[in-house]
Amino acid sequence: ARRQRQMCIRDRLIVDQNGNDCARGIVSFSSDEINKVKGLKSDQLESILGYPTKSEIIHRDDMVLKN
């Protein structure tokens, strides 16, 4: 049986190294999922999470930069 997962797509603030608000984006992973996969290569995500997924936490098409 295939595991069902609830989608948790959220708008998130993105800050630069100085803490300045620089962008907003739609996040494709929950914070628990991010903690499981951070630092891994894209081809490792499915085996860690147990289901096929996007390879980006925030894809550039889902991000808006602020001036």
Side-chain angles (χ1 to χ4, degrees):
R2 185 171 168 219
R3 182 180 153 218
Q4 295 292 322
R5 83 174 179 116
Q6 186 176 20
M7 289 298 291
C8 298
I9 299 177
R10 292 166 243 180
D11 177 49
R12 285 290 176 233
L13 169 70
I14 303 166
V15 296
D16 65 17
Q17 61 270 29
N18 298 318
N20 299 316
D21 180 1
C22 63
R24 296 203 185 268
I26 299 172
V27 180
S28 301
F29 296 94
S30 71
S31 58
D32 288 337
E33 292 169 322
I34 292 170
N35 285 329
K36 288 179 184 177
V37 301
K38 63 183 170 185
L40 300 178
K41 296 182 185 254
S42 297
D43 62 358
Q44 297 173 295
L45 301 183
E46 184 174 348
S47 64
I48 298 299
L49 295 175
Y51 47 84
T53 185
K54 292 182 175 183
S55 60
E56 305 90 358
I57 293 173
I58 300 176
H59 190 276
R60 68 181 180 181
D61 290 345
D62 296 327
M63 184 178 359
V64 177
L65 299 176
K66 297 179 79 177
N67 290 339

